[in-house]
């Protein structure tokens, strides 16, 4: 392993791997039910095969349990010299997955870069390789974190182009936040509770109150461990419930049927694009709703997730819009709609 400036590098012959830590600066302090932060640590990677470079990213918000150090440690375990072609996709990603438990963001970075290479070799955007129609992409929501009335009004004004807003709830300020937003706009809202509610009866009361105020679904209303309570709420709620913290990887999906109405898929939780697509397909087979979400990420990981967006009911792909120091040009949001670039792979360019 070599280190040049801020980049680490490994040479496997036809494959080469480069990676570096980077810190995303948020435009506003981001507050959810359990924590606040103003930055997000990421690791940016470049995977090269015969001169073709694929870009990837690992984003590590606090609750994932990963760090820049753990991601770099994981990437140091990789030896791609045993593979001769990026088209050995299943074998490569299976090898990556078995290197260590968890480390899902680190694994996602490699998965994204590998898909970027494959798309560039085939000279097609990945959504076209998958046969997906971009006309079907739902509008993306824009996230309003927990804050004061004044800042909430400011954030809503900044989100004027978006057709739907995502509101962080889960504290004793929930009704204040919704009422403040409703003084400004009647646009549809989705409520992300981040496991903040504890009592199923109070959760159901809030579900009815929110439904009357044009909230279209509840994301992770109660702690994931309260399986029976979440199932009871889903059965009685006037609006859908979506599993987020309760839904990490493909193996989790079957058990979530009847506990939640749908699932939120995030590349950083599920190891990347390949498993994300499988999760969407399994959820559909179980007659569940599907949402594609994100962490605070650059346009690299956001553009990768967006390749899957024609498959879903709801999109929450605003992560790159929440930061002030993106290093890529990729998916655009115009009047609240996700516009996929007509470029091969995941469709990004380095700035």
């Amino acid at each position: 392993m070599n280190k040049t400036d801020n980049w680490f590098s490994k040479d496997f012959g036809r494959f080469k791997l480069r990676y570096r830590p980077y810190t995303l600066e948020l435009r506003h302090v981001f507050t959810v039910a359990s924590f606040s932060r103003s930055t997000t640590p990421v690791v940016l990677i470049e995977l090269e095969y015969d001169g073709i470079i694929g870009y990837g990213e690992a984003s590590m918000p606090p609750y994932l349990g990963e760090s820049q150090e753990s991601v770099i440690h994981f990437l140091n375990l990789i030896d791609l010299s045993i593979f001769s072609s990026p088209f050995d996709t299943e074998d490569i990603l299976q090898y990556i997955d078995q290197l260590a438990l968890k480390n899902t963001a680190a694994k996602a970075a490699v998965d994204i870069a590998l898909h970027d290479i494959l798309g560039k070799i085939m000279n097609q955007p990945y959504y076209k390789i998958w046969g997906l129609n971009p006309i079907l992409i739902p509008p993306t929501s824009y996230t309003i974190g927990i804050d004061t009335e004044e800042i909430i009004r400011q954030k809503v004004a900044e989100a004027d182009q978006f057709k739907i807003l995502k509101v962080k709830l889960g504290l004793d300020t929930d009704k204040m936040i919704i009422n403040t937003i409703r003084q400004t706009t009647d646009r549809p809202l989705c409520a992300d509770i981040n496991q903040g509610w504890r009592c199923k009866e109070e959760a159901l009361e809030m579900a009815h109150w929110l439904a009357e105020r044009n909230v279209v679904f509840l994301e992770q209303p109660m702690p994931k461990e309260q399986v029976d309570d979440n199932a009871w709420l889903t059965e009685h709620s006037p609006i859908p419930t979506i599993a987020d913290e309760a839904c990490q990887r493909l193996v989790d999906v079957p058990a979530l049927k009847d506990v939640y109405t749908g699932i939120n898929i995030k590349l950083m939780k599920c190891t990347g694009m390949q498993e994300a697509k499988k999760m969407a397909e399994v959820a559909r087979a179980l007659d569940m709703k599907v949402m594609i979400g994100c962490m605070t990420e650059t346009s690299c990981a956001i553009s990768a997730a967006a390749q899957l967006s024609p498959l879903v009911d709801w999109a929450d792909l605003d992560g790159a819009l929440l930061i002030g120091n993106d290093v890529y040009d990729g998916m655009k949001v115009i009047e609240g709609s996700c516009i996929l670039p007509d470029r091969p792979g995941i469709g990004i360019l380095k700035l």
Side-chain angles (χ1 to χ4, degrees):
M1 181 187 70
N2 298 316
K3 186 177 182 182
T4 305
D5 296 328
N6 205 25
W7 287 89
F8 297 85
S9 63
K10 300 179 74 174
D11 192 331
F12 308 110
R14 300 186 76 177
F15 283 104
K16 297 176 176 61
L17 179 63
R18 296 181 289 275
Y19 42 96
R20 69 177 176 113
Y22 188 67
T23 299
L24 304 182
E25 305 287 343
L26 278 64
R27 297 183 186 275
H28 293 283
V29 174
F30 191 68
T31 300
V32 298
S34 55
F35 59 84
S36 296
R37 56 188 169 89
S38 58
T39 62
T40 298
V42 302
V43 174
L44 307 177
I45 82 164
E46 296 181 359
L47 181 62
E48 183 175 340
Y49 174 78
D50 284 357
I52 299 171
I53 297 174
Y55 299 107
E57 173 183 5
S59 174
M60 287 80 64
Y63 82 88
L64 270 184
E66 292 181 73
S67 65
Q68 290 173 329
E69 292 74 19
S70 71
V71 169
I72 289 171
H73 175 76
F74 180 86
L75 295 174
N76 287 339
L77 300 176
I78 294 173
D79 179 5
L80 295 180
S81 63
I82 57 178
F83 300 102
S84 60
S85 167
F87 286 95
D88 298 330
T89 312
E90 288 281 352
D91 291 341
I92 293 172
L93 294 179
Q94 184 178 28
Y95 160 76
I96 295 294
D97 198 16
Q98 60 82 40
L99 280 176
L101 294 173
K102 300 183 178 179
N103 291 280
T104 56
K107 294 171 182 178
V110 179
D111 169 285
I112 292 167
L114 183 61
H115 282 86
D116 198 25
I117 287 176
L118 291 170
K120 288 172 177 174
I121 291 173
M122 291 182 274
N123 197 33
Q124 293 293 333
Y126 228 88
Y127 72 88
K128 289 186 178 179
I129 294 170
W130 277 333
L132 302 179
N133 184 352
I135 293 175
L136 301 178
I137 300 174
T140 182
S141 56
Y142 182 83
T143 302
I144 309 292
I146 297 171
D147 223 311
T148 64
E149 292 183 48
E150 179 183 358
I151 298 299
I152 289 169
R153 289 192 185 96
Q154 178 186 338
K155 290 178 178 178
V156 172
E158 292 174 358
D160 186 58
Q161 68 158 308
F162 292 87
K163 300 178 178 69
I164 183 169
L165 301 178
K166 179 175 179 176
V167 185
K168 294 289 187 176
L169 301 179
L171 299 180
D172 57 7
T173 54
D174 288 355
K175 289 190 175 182
M176 177 276 288
I177 291 172
I178 297 297
N179 287 332
T180 300
I181 293 172
R182 281 292 168 248
Q183 292 167 12
T184 305
T185 179
D186 60 358
R187 277 172 287 171
L189 305 175
C190 45
D192 187 359
I193 321 305
N194 285 117
Q195 308 185 87
W197 298 342
R198 296 293 188 271
C199 171
K200 66 180 183 180
E201 290 83 8
E202 292 177 5
L204 181 60
E205 181 181 336
M206 277 298 296
H208 282 281
W209 188 85
L210 292 169
E212 292 169 359
R213 286 151 182 83
N214 198 20
V215 172
V216 297
F217 67 77
L218 306 173
E219 186 178 345
Q220 200 60 59
M222 289 182 287
K224 62 182 182 181
E225 295 82 8
Q226 294 180 216
V227 176
D228 291 344
D229 289 345
N230 278 300
W232 182 89
L233 178 61
T234 297
E235 181 182 359
H236 294 91
S237 175
I239 51 179
T241 63
I242 306 298
D244 183 9
E245 285 86 348
C247 182
Q248 304 292 315
R249 300 199 56 178
L250 177 63
V251 68
D252 299 325
V253 178
L256 298 173
K257 180 175 172 57
D258 300 325
V259 181
Y260 303 90
T261 314
I263 62 171
N264 185 2
I265 301 169
K266 296 179 180 176
L267 302 191
M268 296 302 131
K269 295 190 301 182
C270 74
T271 74
M273 295 168 66
Q274 176 159 284
E275 185 154 325
K277 184 170 183 286
K278 291 177 181 178
M279 290 174 72
E281 291 166 347
V282 169
R284 288 296 189 212
L286 295 171
D287 198 28
M288 298 180 75
K289 297 289 187 181
V290 179
M291 175 182 177
I292 187 80
C294 63
M295 310 299 184
T296 311
E297 301 163 352
T298 72
S299 289
C300 175
I302 294 295
S303 298
Q307 304 299 315
L308 292 152
S309 57
L311 287 172
V312 307
D313 300 287
W314 297 293
D316 180 34
L317 296 175
D318 64 343
L321 303 176
L322 304 177
I323 65 173
N325 58 338
D326 202 347
V327 288
Y328 302 102
D329 177 81
M331 187 203 78
K332 302 294 185 186
V333 178
I334 300 176
E335 295 301 316
S337 297
C338 300
I339 307 301
L340 293 173
D342 190 19
R343 302 178 190 136
I346 63 171
I348 65 169
L349 298 174
K350 287 180 71 174
L351 296 176

